[in-house]
Structures are given as structure tokens and as C-alpha cells.
Amino acid sequence: MAVTISLVLLFGLVLFFLLRSKELGPGGAFTAAGFGFFLASTGAAGPINRLAQSLIDAAANL
């Protein structure tokens, strides 16, 4: 768990700087995929899934 959170922070930080510098190429895609992969294995996955489902349900009711 500690290694997963460290990798989430590392990938998140790198992705933040890539987005800020507007340099998204193949390396940025790999970073974003790694960030998502490791984020999904943390405790944040449940709330993120519930938020996404709530947004989908709200959009369907518009």
C-alpha cells in the first residue's frame, strides 16, 4: 500500500508538470495511464467511481 501511494504521488506530480507545461506526448500518455492504474488500487477508487456514477446519472436526468 505504501509503495502504491508513493507511485500515485510520483505519477501525479509528473502528470501535473506535464499538463502545466502543455507537453503531452507518448511519455505523457504513459504517465497518465500509470497514474490511473495506481490510483485505482488505492482507497480513492471507491469515491471516484461513485462520483463518476453520480455525474452519469445527473447527465441522464437533464
Side-chain angles (χ1 to χ4, degrees), residues 24-46:
L24 288 176
F30 175 76
T31 303
F35 178 70
F37 177 78
F38 288 110
L39 184 63
S41 64
T42 65

Side-chain angles (χ1 to χ4, degrees), residues 28 47 51:
L51 175 65

Side-chain angles (χ1 to χ4, degrees), residues 7-62:
L7 288 173
V8 167
L9 291 175
L10 175 67
F11 277 112
L13 187 62
V14 171
L15 186 58
F16 171 77
F17 284 115
L18 286 172
L19 288 170
R20 190 171 166 108
S21 68
K22 298 179 183 165
E23 292 291 327
L24 288 176
F30 175 76
T31 303
F35 178 70
F37 177 78
F38 288 110
L39 184 63
S41 64
T42 65
I48 291 171
N49 286 335
R50 286 192 295 276
L51 175 65
Q53 187 61 47
S54 297
L55 291 174
I56 291 168
D57 292 340
N61 292 328
L62 288 178

